[in-house]
Amino acid sequence: MSLIKIFFSISVIFMTLFVSGCQSNNSDAPPPSNAGNGAHDNNGTNGGSGTDNNSTIVVATIRLQIQPKSITVGLDSQHKIITILVFKSNGAVVDTGSISVRYPDKITNGVVNGGEFVKNRVEINDGKAVFEFVGPPQLKAIDPLNFNFVYDQDQNYETTLTVNYVPDIPKIVLDNNHLIIKKNGEVKTIAVKVYGKDNEPYPDGHIQVKYPDALLDGKDVGSFQNSSVEVKNGEASLIYTAPNPIDANTSYLFGVFHDVNPILSNTDLNVSFAPDVNQTVLKNYRLHADYETKMDLNISKGMVFSVMDDQNNSLPDGDIVSINATILNPNLGFLEDTDGNKGTSISTTKKNGVHINIHSNTLSGLLPIKVDAAFIDANNKEQKLTKIFNVIVLSGPPTAMSLSYAGTSQDKEHAKFIENWVLTVTDKYNNLVNTNPTVSMGMITGYATRSGDAQPDASQNLKDAKYLFYSAKDGDGNLTDGALDTFKTKYKTFANVDLANQYLVTYGKRGYYFNTFGKWDISSVEDDQTLALKDDYNGTNVSGLGFAVGKNFRNETCSGESRVANVYAKDHNYILGDNGNMIIQVEYEYYLVGKTTLLWANLLGSSDKKIKKVGIANVVTLRGDGLTGESYNFAKGFSGIVRLLVHIKDTVEFYKNANFGYQVEVQAEDASWSILKSSMDDGIMSCNNSGVGYVDVNISDGGKGGTVSLTNVLVAPEF
């Protein structure tokens, strides 16, 4: 009996309310009380009068509870189960009706692929509705998305699921990352282990090898038995064969990577040649090939193989026993001799200067050709030579691009954050582009002021800010190829465009429209619905594009100070890598955290002998390193309003003029409380409280005091 008395005398009221962007009638928690407004500083001395709440909370007849409240997908097409519990305030389960899911605007507007539910409406059975979620088929790091679930019979009752998107970047560990080769043609096996983000064995995919640039100069760097090896239960095996002969005191650096993320999973493999002193090194004869080291897809190129002496003389046909050429990566092509015989291997006898044609397929990459020659030397003894000649099959013209978030760092010395984004470029056969095109990049951080109406379904923040930003809609956002290339919209919005400082960025239409995306320089404003473009557009007329006009800086809403975002390639190397990837870095000032921007990249590709523009643009909310909220310790008997401010994590700056998600936690023995309002109720363009983010909480304490805290504060999009 004494234990029961203690429990009720020390019971703690601990209530949590989650709000994202704006407050909603979420049945996971009671709606906040509309207590009277009052001023308060964080020392609690200006409490003001507010409506007192007693400890009894009136709840709705129907309640929804989601299990779990948030999920994280880390793999392509990952499945997750979400259960919605439906019950009455007396605890009785609800056995009738149904629950439906509402998708976030970023999915319905085609901005991102955030996955989908197998069923969008599920009947309630035994007090619950069970949904199955399937993640995106190609998982990318995007901002968390909120899916709302509503009780169909009374849609005032809803609950929210937060989905986090965290791609698993494989970590590669080699059992030997520095091979020492001592013998001609020596074979080495490298054991590869692949781990996931929690150091568990990575389940699938392929390990691939990037060869050193020396092979482009005709160097024999050796070869791997397979250029792509399947990962099974976190393990794979690579088999390397050294050149024959090997050159003394030579080293080559190979790259080993996982195909799910080539640039971030890459690890180095160093191969050094140190011939044994007593082994025979062939010096008097060599295998030679006349050929071009690069070729395009779906074409034929000739190669001539010869055995030569150290005076560069070709041996006579009569001294040749045989010459055999074999393709080591048959997925990329095949061989054909002068008689029309085709295959992965071609053999000839009693002939030097053997002519063979290489035919490429639709896959790009490294095409190694192993040549074995047997011949009679000057001492009338049979000798053998083996050498691998490498041909790079170039990818086709760039036709598709993607941008994936890869983490944020902080430059405290210069008071800036730096976000990393991985740009990936492929051709129409899904080959990673290896033709090393140049990439241009940038970001619209501040938008032009629109002169006309916003889209009817635009958010209130977007309407209030008058940003010249429009999402992708069928029939609007028209890019036209003509004597004068133009961009048109049905909205009378372009009258305020600043030609000297602002440019157009297009994005968002679903489908294969990468030749329409990215940055377009503007030559003139033809009228308030038409822009004339400086850039040449070669393509069919396209409608339904999302678009914005702006520049790479914006002024603070309240102080007017200018804040800049700089975009550049990592190490300032603007040439796309051989693996079709590049790291783009976005460097921005603290005020820009929480601001929704347009990150773009463009490059030139070749198609049907015409130069075409290819690009991409993503709607990006700059996230910094996160946010923190304040806490306040209130005294015994305190009654009043506490204002909790939002800070940018690891800085001295407040979070200003932006949206955020949050939770409020109150720890006290006997206190009632409610959320009165937040800075988001003022609108993100408001200078109330100098634009600083805040949440006002009304506290009425009947016990010994306690603590109110603003927790789990998350950056949310502007619109």
Side-chain angles (χ1 to χ4, degrees), residues 15 56 177 206 226 281 285 389 504 549 580 623 632 718:
M15 300 175 60
T56 300
N177 59 8
H206 292 81
N226 294 296
V281 178
Y285 300 93
F389 299 93
L504 169 72
V549 175
R623 66 197 77 196
Y632 176 74
E718 279 187 283

Side-chain angles (χ1 to χ4, degrees), residues 408-419 552 562-568 585-593 622-625 648-653:
T408 301
S409 60
Q410 185 177 3
D411 180 359
K412 291 188 177 181
E413 182 180 357
H414 298 98
K416 293 181 179 180
F417 288 112
I418 300 173
E419 288 191 11
N552 72 328
S562 180
R563 301 301 178 194
V564 178
N566 293 315
V567 182
Y568 47 83
Q585 296 188 306
V586 182
E587 179 185 84
Y588 55 92
E589 299 180 65
Y590 293 153
Y591 174 79
L592 296 178
V593 175
L622 300 174
R623 66 197 77 196
D625 197 29
I648 300 174
K649 185 179 178 182
D650 291 332
T651 75
V652 297
E653 300 294 329

Side-chain angles (χ1 to χ4, degrees), residues 291-497:
Y291 69 106
E292 295 181 26
T293 58
K294 296 181 180 180
M295 66 186 300
D296 294 326
L297 300 174
N298 286 320
I299 67 167
S300 174
K301 289 277 189 179
M303 295 185 74
V304 178
F305 301 109
S306 304
V307 180
M308 307 183 76
D309 63 20
D310 52 10
Q311 300 300 314
N312 291 326
N313 298 314
S314 294
L315 272 61
D317 290 347
D319 289 347
I320 302 298
V321 177
S322 65
I323 294 179
N324 182 73
T326 303
I327 282 188
L328 299 181
N329 191 352
N331 291 326
L332 270 62
F334 60 92
L335 302 176
E336 181 181 13
D337 65 18
T338 53
D339 294 326
N341 299 310
K342 300 176 181 179
T344 58
S345 184
I346 298 290
S347 296
T348 62
T349 59
K350 295 298 180 180
K351 182 174 176 57
N352 204 2
V354 176
H355 185 97
I356 294 177
N357 288 323
I358 314 168
H359 295 268
S360 59
N361 295 326
T362 59
L363 294 178
S364 65
L366 187 67
L367 181 60
I369 301 172
K370 179 183 179 184
V371 179
D372 298 295
F375 61 96
I376 305 301
D377 67 11
N379 299 313
N380 204 32
K381 293 182 178 180
E382 183 174 319
Q383 293 195 30
K384 293 181 179 181
L385 289 174
T386 298
K387 187 171 183 176
I388 293 175
F389 299 93
N390 293 291
V391 178
I392 293 179
V393 181
L394 300 174
S395 59
T399 56
M401 305 170 70
S402 68
L403 284 166
S404 302
Y405 174 70
T408 301
S409 60
Q410 185 177 3
D411 180 359
K412 291 188 177 181
E413 182 180 357
H414 298 98
K416 293 181 179 180
F417 288 112
I418 300 173
E419 288 191 11
N420 290 313
W421 289 81
V422 178
L423 173 69
T424 302
V425 186
T426 60
D427 67 10
K428 68 178 181 179
Y429 301 110
N430 204 32
N431 295 308
L432 291 169
V433 168
N434 60 1
T435 53
N436 306 121
T438 301
V439 183
S440 62
M441 61 205 67
M443 172 177 279
I444 288 185
T445 308
Y447 299 93
T449 303
R450 70 171 188 272
S451 55
D453 292 333
Q455 285 174 317
D457 57 351
S459 70
Q460 191 60 45
N461 281 335
L462 193 53
K463 292 177 181 178
D464 292 343
K466 293 187 177 296
Y467 291 157
L468 205 165
F469 177 100
Y470 293 82
S471 58
K473 296 290 182 183
D474 290 339
D476 194 45
N478 295 272
L479 185 60
T480 304
D481 182 13
L484 179 66
D485 293 339
T486 59
F487 185 85
K488 297 183 179 181
T489 176
K490 64 183 178 183
Y491 300 103
K492 296 180 178 181
T493 192
F494 292 139
N496 298 325
V497 171

Side-chain angles (χ1 to χ4, degrees), residues 100-110 112-121 131-136 145-150 159-161 163 165 510:
S100 293
V101 60
R102 292 175 178 170
Y103 287 75
D105 290 343
K106 280 192 174 183
I107 292 181
T108 57
N109 291 337
V112 298
N113 184 348
E116 60 185 356
F117 289 87
V118 174
K119 292 183 179 180
N120 295 326
R121 179 177 175 274
F131 287 80
E132 183 178 3
F133 177 80
V134 182
L145 297 177
N146 289 331
F147 295 78
N148 290 333
F149 295 84
V150 298
T159 186
T160 301
L161 170 72
V163 180
Y165 302 87
R510 290 190 177 185

Side-chain angles (χ1 to χ4, degrees), residues 53-360:
N53 297 323
N54 57 37
S55 59
T56 300
I57 301 173
V58 178
V59 297
T61 303
I62 301 295
R63 299 201 62 187
L64 307 181
Q65 182 176 336
I66 188 167
Q67 295 179 345
K69 288 188 176 182
S70 67
I71 60 173
T72 298
V73 290
L75 300 173
D76 292 347
S77 302
Q78 189 172 4
H79 288 242
K80 295 281 188 176
I81 298 298
I82 292 90
T83 301
I84 311 297
L85 302 180
V86 190
F87 53 94
K88 296 181 180 180
S89 56
N90 61 4
V93 300
V94 174
D95 244 345
T96 60
S98 59
I99 302 294
S100 293
V101 60
R102 292 175 178 170
Y103 287 75
D105 290 343
K106 280 192 174 183
I107 292 181
T108 57
N109 291 337
V111 177
V112 298
N113 184 348
E116 60 185 356
F117 289 87
V118 174
K119 292 183 179 180
N120 295 326
R121 179 177 175 274
V122 174
E123 297 293 331
I124 298 170
N125 183 20
D126 195 23
K128 58 187 177 183
V130 179
F131 287 80
E132 183 178 3
F133 177 80
V134 182
Q138 293 182 328
L139 181 63
K140 302 182 186 305
I142 59 175
D143 292 330
L145 297 177
N146 289 331
F147 295 78
N148 290 333
F149 295 84
V150 298
Y151 182 54
D152 291 330
Q153 284 63 44
D154 187 345
Q155 296 193 3
N156 287 318
Y157 300 107
E158 64 178 25
T159 186
T160 301
L161 170 72
T162 300
V163 180
N164 301 294
Y165 302 87
V166 185
D168 196 353
I169 299 173
K171 291 172 285 196
I172 295 176
V173 178
L174 307 179
D175 71 331
N176 185 357
N177 59 8
H178 189 183
L179 304 182
I180 307 296
I181 304 300
K182 297 183 177 181
K183 298 183 182 298
N184 297 325
E186 188 173 354
V187 177
K188 293 277 191 179
T189 299
I190 303 105
V192 183
K193 292 192 175 182
V194 190
Y195 298 98
K197 62 177 179 291
D198 296 320
N199 295 326
E200 78 284 5
Y202 199 83
D204 51 21
H206 292 81
I207 293 297
Q208 297 183 350
V209 177
K210 181 181 183 296
Y211 280 71
D213 293 338
L215 67 87
L216 299 178
D217 300 324
K219 299 289 187 183
D220 187 354
V221 300
S223 65
F224 287 85
Q225 180 174 313
N226 294 296
S227 60
S228 181
V229 179
E230 185 178 4
V231 175
K232 295 182 178 180
N233 195 29
E235 296 183 351
S237 182
L238 295 170
I239 300 176
Y240 170 80
T241 302
N244 187 0
I246 59 176
D247 295 327
N249 303 317
T250 304
S251 293
Y252 296 109
L253 190 65
F254 294 78
V256 179
F257 60 89
H258 194 286
D259 60 358
V260 74
N261 200 319
I263 193 168
L264 296 180
S265 66
N266 185 76
T267 190
D268 292 338
L269 172 64
N270 191 27
V271 178
S272 299
F273 301 148
D276 286 341
V277 175
N278 296 325
Q279 77 167 320
T280 301
V281 178
L282 302 177
K283 295 181 180 179
N284 298 325
Y285 300 93
R286 63 186 178 89
L287 266 172
H288 174 75
D290 290 315
Y291 69 106
E292 295 181 26
T293 58
K294 296 181 180 180
M295 66 186 300
D296 294 326
L297 300 174
N298 286 320
I299 67 167
S300 174
K301 289 277 189 179
M303 295 185 74
V304 178
F305 301 109
S306 304
V307 180
M308 307 183 76
D309 63 20
D310 52 10
Q311 300 300 314
N312 291 326
N313 298 314
S314 294
L315 272 61
D317 290 347
D319 289 347
I320 302 298
V321 177
S322 65
I323 294 179
N324 182 73
T326 303
I327 282 188
L328 299 181
N329 191 352
N331 291 326
L332 270 62
F334 60 92
L335 302 176
E336 181 181 13
D337 65 18
T338 53
D339 294 326
N341 299 310
K342 300 176 181 179
T344 58
S345 184
I346 298 290
S347 296
T348 62
T349 59
K350 295 298 180 180
K351 182 174 176 57
N352 204 2
V354 176
H355 185 97
I356 294 177
N357 288 323
I358 314 168
H359 295 268
S360 59

